[in-house]
Amino acid sequence: MDFKAGEILYFDKPLQWTSFKLVNHIRYHLCRKVGVKKLKVGHAGTLDPLATGVMIICTGKATKRIEEFQYQTKEYIATLQLGATTPSFDLEHEIDTTYPTDHITCELVEETLKKFVGEIQQIPPAFSACKIEGKRAYDLARKGKNVELKPKLLVIDEIELLECNLPEIKIRVVCSKGTYIRALARDIGLTLHSGAHLTGLIRTRVGDITLSNCMEVNNFPAWLDEQKIEEIH
C-alpha cells in the first residue's frame, strides 16, 4: 500500500468521537508505521460525535477524491424521540421543551414521512458547522447568539418507518449531500404538531460502501501491521 500516492480506507466511526478525532487517530498510526512526521489525511463527510457509522478516510493524493465521495448518496438509520426537543435536536443538550403526543399514531407518522420524500428545503440546525460571516454556527449558538441560517435545497430519495414504538420511532433515510438528519427530526416533529429530537444515528452507507466494508478503529493498528507498505521518501 502506498499511503502517500493515496489510499482509501473505510471506518465505522465510534460513538462520542468527532470526525476530526478519527482522522487524527488514523494519521498518527500511519505516520508511526511509515516513519514520517506528516501525511495528508482527510475524511469525506462529517458525522456528529453522537452518530456512528460509515466514514471514508482518504490519504495522500487520494484526498483529491474527497469531494467525489461527499456527493454520493448516503443512508442513515435514525431513532427519534417524539414530544420533546433539545437545542441541538440530539442528545448533546438536555430537553428544553416538551409537546403533546397523544394525537400521534403510527399511521399519522407514515403519512407525515411521505411529505419529506423528494426535493425539500431544509434549514440547517443552529448547532451545525455551517458558516455565518466566517464563523461556525455552533460557536455562535453556544455563546447564546441568535443564529439565522438560510434553507438549502436537498433531495430525500427514501424514508422508511422501521419501528413505531410511540413516542419513539426508527426510520431509514436515503438522502443527498448536506442533509442534516437532526434538522429532519426537527421538521418531522413540527409536521406532527409536536416536537422531536434524535436519540440515535447510524450512517449505514455512503455510495456503495456499507458498514460491512468498514473497519473497527481498534483493529486498525493490527490491520496496518499485516499490510505490505511502500516506503515514503
Side-chain angles (χ1 to χ4, degrees), residues 27-218:
R27 186 190 292 114
Y28 169 77
H29 283 287
L30 286 175
C31 287
R32 267 188 78 178
K33 184 68 182 173
V34 298
V36 295
K37 287 185 179 178
K38 275 186 176 180
L39 182 64
K40 222 175 186 181
V41 182
H43 68 78
T46 304
L47 272 177
D48 289 334
L50 294 173
T52 64
V54 179
M55 178 73 80
I56 298 177
I57 302 279
C58 300
T59 79
K61 291 178 182 174
T63 52
K64 291 175 182 173
R65 293 187 62 193
I66 282 175
E67 196 172 356
E68 170 197 331
F69 292 121
Q70 284 177 333
Y71 276 94
Q72 292 180 346
T73 300
K74 297 172 179 69
E75 180 186 74
Y76 297 89
I77 303 291
T79 306
L80 281 65
Q81 182 77 27
L82 304 179
T85 57
T86 74
S88 53
F89 300 103
D90 65 6
L91 295 176
E92 188 186 332
H93 293 84
E94 298 287 320
I95 288 170
D96 58 358
T97 316
T98 56
Y99 302 84
T101 57
D102 293 346
H103 63 288
I104 300 173
T105 62
C106 292
E107 289 74 26
L108 181 61
V109 172
E110 287 268 22
E111 288 305 309
T112 301
L113 293 180
K114 288 175 188 172
K115 295 175 183 176
F116 290 92
V117 177
E119 285 192 349
I120 64 164
Q121 292 278 349
Q122 185 187 77
I123 298 171
F127 287 88
S128 67
C130 294
K131 285 191 174 179
I132 302 170
E133 295 175 358
K135 292 181 179 171
R136 298 286 185 190
Y138 56 68
D139 286 333
L140 297 170
R142 281 173 188 147
K143 288 173 183 171
K145 294 188 177 176
N146 191 32
V147 175
E148 285 189 26
L149 293 165
K150 291 175 182 171
K152 293 184 177 180
L153 184 66
L154 307 167
V155 178
I156 306 283
D157 295 309
E158 295 175 54
I159 297 189
E160 180 188 1
L161 182 61
L162 300 176
E163 293 176 23
C164 186
N165 304 307
L166 296 170
E168 186 179 270
I169 62 170
K170 189 176 277 190
I171 60 175
R172 182 179 68 88
V173 182
V174 180
C175 57
S176 65
K177 174 187 185 287
T179 305
Y180 280 93
I181 306 298
R182 287 183 288 131
L184 184 62
R186 171 199 67 203
D187 296 343
I188 289 168
L190 282 168
T191 309
L192 286 165
H193 301 292
S194 184
H197 65 282
L198 279 185
T199 57
L201 184 64
I202 306 165
R203 184 155 69 194
T204 48
R205 181 168 66 83
V206 176
D208 295 327
I209 304 305
T210 65
L211 279 169
S212 62
N213 304 115
C214 293
M215 199 184 319
E216 296 292 330
V217 172
N218 293 342

